[in-house]
Amino acid sequence: MPEPEVYDFYIKEIIYRFNNRWKFRDITMRHQLPCEYITLTPPPQHLPVLKIFLDIYVDDFGTYRNVYHSLGGVYLQLGNMPLTLRKQLKNHFLIGFVPFGAKFNDFIEPVLQDIKRLEKGLIMQTLNGNAFVIGSIGCVTADLPQGNDIADVKRHNAKYGCRSCNVPNDQYTNIDYNYIKNARFHQQTEKQFIEIKSQHSKIDRERLATKYGLLIEPGPFKMLKWDRHLQIPQDPYHSMAGKARTLFEGAFNIFNTNGENAFIEYWKNIEKPSHWYRMPNPVRYRQSFMFSDVLRLTMLMPFVLRRFLKPYHIKKEVLNNWNMEQNIKQNSAVLKLCTCWAIEAKVLKLAFSNTMTESVYQELQELLKREYEILIQLFSDNFTNLPNLHVNVHLLQHARNFATLLNTAVGVKEMVHRIFKNMVPHMNCKVIELDLTKRYNTLQALRHLIDGWTDPRFSTRTNALNNINTDPILRTIFSGWYATESLSITINNQKNVEDERDDSITVCHDENFIDISFSNKWNNKKVRSMGLSKKLDADHPFFRDLYEAYTGFLDSKATLLNKNLEFYGSITYTVIKSNQDNIQIKLRVGDVVELCEETEGIAYAKIASIFRHQANNGKYYAFFSFNWFQATNTFDPVLECPLYNIQKPEESRWFQIFPINFINHIPYVHFVHNCTNLCNVEHDETNRGYILNKFYYNAV
């Protein structure tokens, strides 16, 4: 028959892929598009339209050390901001604290009523004139139990306690359970609530609610236009870090006494990033570790195990059990455990990536599957039917819905939460929620003034607080309150004038590098121990490299008149970025940095020394001396990390001295010595091999 000119399409089924097989499901088993259940108010034609994405974060914390009194914190963020702004503490807005004994639903209801008004649109005055502003809940972030409460789903210890699908609690880690077909859909949940409400007796309502895994009645969020199952994603921060903490429990429990002692010894001597604070003994005090500590420890765990672990460090009953049930021989048990930790570290880094592409989504899906398989194989008692492991199957969809998992993770929000926790001991402990709110309002008012804003209600002529940002000391203190790793520091013109009068001030030929300061000055003994000298020797390669640095980068070809050098252990300076926050960089001797190189693209070097030299013009300039890493184009067979060799002290074919403007960002790179049997407490100096830690990232 010929094709008709007019006809309609009716889609009745959806084809999808699950466990490498094609399957079908009914068209009703899907998440509705927003246009199917949301009707927008037409905006005025003469006004621009602004849309606001609201992100609400909810968490409880115990206010007292010995007695648990839960105080709930509720915070708001604007999802329209880029990630760099959302990471700043000043852009986390406190809605309020749920008082002791109060219910969250009663507290949040007035806030939701205001949001409901915003859904219809409001005419607001902005810096660019009036605008029609529309906003609503984009997502609600919370940990696993509180997220279920807000989604009106029973908690994970119930029969059906997942807010994303209808999996029974005894099937959480069943790899064959079809979580796609059995997903929870908002329109179906609404019908189930109507059915529960229609029951005549309380017993029938409770029975039906238990059957569906729902609360007896929905919470106050029902008044909004939203999808509870899509817009309350599973929190990757709590689920992933909680899963890593469970792995630590399983791993440390299989060590015998010799294994624990060996782990502690090698943990103390493993190379750690210099800006990390010192962590306590992981074997004894791991229960007190925060999630950020757990994530950091996971980055190093594969390298620690790779260095020391032998079969005799593992309990015999564990080895026998692995041999009988999993057919894992003693010789391959160590390799299997190191591989397990390498996969876990790789999953965590990928899950907290700043950007994700289609290839990253696919790699994440594959790694999550490998992680599930090896965790169930080695630590079945710890991970079977663990809710955190079940969350794995939903993380990929959350990453696609919100571009990255980092957008819905609560790592930085937990740091905001910790600020208020640390305030509690300094209060009278009576009306804590009121005291905390007052302190927050005071800090936000100071931040408002520091950012240069004015209040039309007050006279700018007599208000001394408007000049608070001219004090460099106060500016640094207040900027540290709400800054992330990139601290924003205002340049003080008066200070610069005073600095110019100081002949000993250190400058940079690049005017975007300011506020240069040193610490931990080396004495003669320290300088000699490093194979250096405070006097330049014209026959030494150090003199040649310094002269080349002046010639190539500072455009000074004159003979170096001053032969004196001053060496330091660390340096701090500020980099001015156009249209961005200024970056404060602190580097120490021994830190590894990444630099752009013409032939290799990105090259890695270890800071061998930090020094300053007085040029012929009388000004002091700061320099780095580098030891370069050379790629071997090979990988560690277990960790799958690239191997490098660091240059020998006598090698001089690479220039080693560069001005400080070669490092204009905070480095995020970490190398670990590729130890052999000759390495004990001290590394074997003849072994120049290093491993690039591909699991390293900024945890929070």
Side-chain angles (χ1 to χ4, degrees):
M1 294 180 61
E3 182 179 2
E5 296 181 359
V6 180
Y7 56 89
D8 292 329
F9 285 107
Y10 292 95
I11 301 176
K12 295 184 177 181
E13 292 179 319
I14 299 174
I15 184 172
Y16 65 100
R17 194 171 182 83
F18 177 76
N19 281 356
N20 295 322
R21 293 184 179 182
W22 291 106
K23 294 180 177 293
F24 298 89
R25 70 178 189 267
D26 191 83
I27 188 62
T28 59
M29 309 293 289
R30 65 180 179 88
H31 294 288
Q32 290 183 335
L33 299 174
C35 62
E36 296 182 72
Y37 59 91
I38 296 178
T39 303
L40 297 178
T41 303
Q45 296 182 356
H46 63 286
L47 292 179
V49 179
L50 301 179
K51 299 180 180 179
I52 300 177
F53 181 105
L54 301 179
D55 177 3
I56 291 181
Y57 167 58
V58 182
D59 195 10
D60 294 337
F61 65 92
T63 51
Y64 304 115
R65 184 182 301 272
N66 298 323
V67 180
Y68 186 80
H69 285 284
S70 177
L71 187 68
V74 185
Y75 308 89
L76 175 69
Q77 268 202 303
L78 301 181
N80 307 68
M81 292 182 176
L83 181 62
T84 53
L85 292 180
R86 281 187 281 118
K87 289 173 65 177
Q88 295 183 8
L89 303 186
K90 69 176 181 179
N91 293 321
H92 293 254
F93 304 103
L94 175 68
I95 295 178
F97 293 98
V98 183
F100 298 137
K103 295 182 178 180
F104 169 77
N105 290 348
D106 297 334
F107 170 85
I108 199 66
E109 188 167 354
V111 179
L112 299 181
Q113 290 174 352
D114 289 338
I115 295 177
K116 187 171 182 62
R117 291 178 55 218
L118 189 59
E119 286 182 341
K120 300 177 181 178
L122 298 172
I123 297 178
M124 295 185 181
Q125 185 178 2
T126 68
L127 293 176
N128 298 321
N130 290 338
F132 188 73
V133 180
I134 302 175
S136 187
I137 295 291
C139 69
V140 177
T141 50
D143 58 16
L144 293 181
Q146 289 175 315
N148 279 21
D149 294 342
I150 299 173
D152 306 318
V153 177
K154 291 185 179 296
R155 296 196 172 185
H156 282 80
N157 56 354
K159 177 65 175 178
Y160 302 98
C162 177
R163 62 176 178 265
S164 300
C165 69
N166 291 293
V167 59
N169 61 358
D170 58 352
Q171 299 290 316
Y172 276 151
T173 52
N174 182 2
I175 197 171
D176 295 323
Y177 181 81
N178 193 336
Y179 62 91
I180 299 178
K181 180 180 179 180
N182 297 290
R184 291 184 185 269
F185 302 105
H186 183 74
Q187 66 275 15
Q188 293 182 351
T189 302
E190 289 295 305
K191 294 179 180 179
Q192 291 169 351
F193 273 121
I194 295 175
E195 184 181 355
I196 293 172
K197 187 178 180 180
S198 65
Q199 303 302 308
H200 298 291
S201 66
K202 182 179 179 180
I203 295 178
D204 291 338
R205 288 194 295 270
E206 291 178 347
R207 176 187 55 79
L208 203 56
T210 302
K211 175 183 176 181
Y212 293 136
L214 301 174
L215 303 181
I216 293 181
E217 59 181 30
F221 281 82
K222 66 181 179 181
M223 70 175 71
L224 301 179
K225 300 174 181 177
W226 79 320
D227 187 323
R228 57 167 58 86
H229 301 302
L230 284 182
Q231 293 176 259
I232 310 181
Q234 307 280 356
D235 172 40
Y237 182 75
H238 282 95
S239 63
M240 301 291 281
K243 186 171 48 181
R245 173 174 283 178
T246 304
L247 181 56
F248 277 115
E249 287 297 318
F252 288 133
N253 286 335
I254 68 173
F255 290 160
N256 54 31
T257 303
N258 293 332
E260 290 182 352
N261 294 334
F263 174 85
I264 294 172
E265 179 182 355
Y266 280 84
W267 161 254
K268 290 179 180 178
N269 298 312
I270 193 77
E271 298 91 337
K272 305 177 184 68
S274 60
H275 64 275
W276 283 11
Y277 58 83
R278 184 176 180 180
M279 286 186 284
N281 181 345
V283 176
R284 181 174 298 179
Y285 300 106
R286 62 183 181 273
Q287 295 295 342
S288 64
F289 275 23
M290 298 183 63
F291 277 156
S292 57
D293 300 328
V294 172
L295 296 178
R296 286 178 172 177
L297 184 56
T298 305
M299 300 177 201
L300 299 180
M301 196 69 176
F303 299 96
V304 177
L305 297 181
R306 191 83 168 97
R307 281 186 179 180
F308 87 92
L309 191 61
K310 298 292 187 293
Y312 56 80
H313 290 134
I314 303 175
K315 295 177 181 178
K316 290 184 178 180
E317 57 267 27
V318 174
L319 293 174
N320 295 335
N321 183 53
W322 283 352
N323 187 19
M324 293 176 57
E325 296 187 2
Q326 305 294 340
N327 196 25
I328 299 175
K329 306 300 181 183
Q330 288 192 10
N331 295 332
S332 59
V334 171
L335 181 63
K336 198 74 172 178
L337 193 58
C338 292
T339 302
C340 173
W341 276 103
I343 293 174
E344 183 67 20
K346 197 177 300 182
V347 165
L348 288 173
K349 180 179 180 179
L350 203 62
F352 295 112
S353 300
N354 289 334
T355 58
M356 286 188 173
T357 61
E358 184 60 33
S359 60
V360 176
Y361 292 140
Q362 295 176 3
E363 183 181 3
L364 178 61
Q365 184 178 23
E366 180 62 28
L367 281 174
L368 288 172
K369 182 179 179 181
R370 291 177 59 193
E371 179 199 38
Y372 163 83
E373 293 173 348
I374 198 165
L375 290 180
I376 292 297
Q377 182 183 24
L378 296 181
F379 304 99
S380 59
D381 293 341
N382 301 87
F383 287 95
T384 299
N385 293 327
L386 182 72
N388 285 16
L389 190 57
H390 167 73
V391 169
N392 275 14
V393 302
H394 301 298
L395 290 180
L396 183 64
Q397 187 59 50
H398 295 331
R400 291 181 180 273
N401 290 344
F402 295 93
T404 67
L405 289 176
L406 205 59
N407 286 330
T408 57
V410 301
V412 178
K413 299 172 184 177
E414 285 281 329
M415 297 298 105
V416 181
H417 212 42
R418 191 167 68 174
I419 291 176
F420 293 103
K421 293 180 184 179
N422 295 335
M423 289 181 183
V424 173
H426 306 287
M427 297 180 177
N428 60 11
C429 297
K430 291 182 179 179
V431 189
I432 291 182
E433 63 274 10
L434 180 60
D435 288 345
L436 289 175
T437 304
K438 286 181 178 179
R439 286 181 176 235
Y440 173 82
N441 290 338
T442 302
L443 290 173
Q444 284 288 17
L446 290 172
R447 190 272 304 171
H448 181 79
L449 295 171
I450 291 171
D451 282 351
W453 294 93
T454 59
D455 193 326
R457 297 173 297 176
F458 301 100
S459 171
T460 58
R461 188 173 302 173
T462 59
N463 190 359
L465 288 176
N466 289 325
N467 299 322
I468 196 171
N469 62 347
T470 62
D471 190 314
I473 298 177
L474 291 177
R475 175 71 194 192
T476 304
I477 293 174
F478 288 129
S479 63
W481 171 71
Y482 63 87
T484 56
E485 67 275 5
S486 299
L487 300 179
S488 178
I489 299 177
T490 296
I491 306 170
N492 189 312
N493 293 328
Q494 296 179 356
K495 182 176 181 294
N496 289 340
V497 173
E498 295 175 358
D499 289 346
E500 292 177 359
R501 301 171 187 166
D502 189 351
D503 295 334
S504 66
I505 194 68
T506 305
V507 298
C508 181
H509 66 285
D510 188 337
E511 60 183 11
N512 292 321
F513 288 71
I514 62 171
D515 298 337
I516 304 170
S517 62
F518 302 89
S519 61
N520 190 19
K521 189 174 182 178
W522 289 1
N523 55 28
N524 291 329
K525 182 179 179 181
K526 177 67 174 179
V527 173
R528 287 194 298 269
S529 68
M530 300 297 291
L532 301 170
S533 173
K534 287 188 175 182
K535 292 287 185 180
L536 283 174
D537 183 357
D539 298 328
H540 197 278
F542 200 93
F543 179 89
R544 180 205 66 186
D545 284 359
L546 181 59
Y547 179 77
E548 290 293 337
Y550 271 107
T551 303
F553 307 117
L554 277 69
D555 197 23
S556 174
K557 299 182 180 180
T559 302
L560 301 180
L561 301 179
N562 182 24
K563 306 298 183 182
N564 296 322
L565 300 175
E566 296 178 6
F567 291 90
Y568 297 88
S570 63
I571 184 174
T572 303
Y573 54 90
T574 301
V575 183
I576 303 174
K577 293 284 189 176
S578 59
N579 300 323
Q580 299 180 30
D581 283 346
N582 300 336
I583 303 175
Q584 189 180 48
I585 299 176
K586 181 174 184 179
L587 296 170
R588 300 173 177 85
V589 172
D591 286 353
V592 179
V593 296
E594 47 194 349
L595 303 97
C596 294
E597 208 270 336
E598 294 181 357
T599 57
E600 297 186 9
I602 296 180
Y604 302 102
K606 188 176 184 179
I607 299 178
S609 63
I610 300 171
F611 66 94
R612 73 172 187 168
H613 176 260
Q614 188 176 22
N616 295 348
N617 60 8
K619 295 182 179 180
Y620 284 90
Y621 293 93
F623 297 90
F624 292 115
S625 174
F626 295 133
N627 288 332
W628 294 93
F629 288 96
Q630 182 180 18
T632 63
N633 298 321
T634 57
F635 291 81
D636 183 273
V638 178
L639 307 180
E640 299 179 359
C641 292
L643 302 178
Y644 286 76
N645 289 326
I646 197 169
Q647 71 177 106
K648 299 178 180 178
E650 62 271 13
E651 290 180 332
S652 58
R653 57 194 175 107
W654 299 309
F655 289 117
Q656 294 181 270
I657 297 179
F658 295 85
I660 62 173
N661 68 322
F662 264 68
I663 305 177
N664 60 1
H665 63 279
I666 299 175
Y668 289 112
V669 61
H670 181 234
F671 275 80
V672 176
H673 190 253
N674 191 12
C675 291
T676 61
N677 294 331
L678 299 178
C679 296
N680 296 314
V681 177
E682 298 290 337
H683 292 310
D684 177 19
E685 295 297 332
T686 62
N687 178 12
R688 314 299 295 176
Y690 279 81
I691 308 175
L692 175 60
N693 186 353
K694 297 294 288 184
F695 315 132
Y696 179 69
Y697 62 99
N698 188 27
V700 178

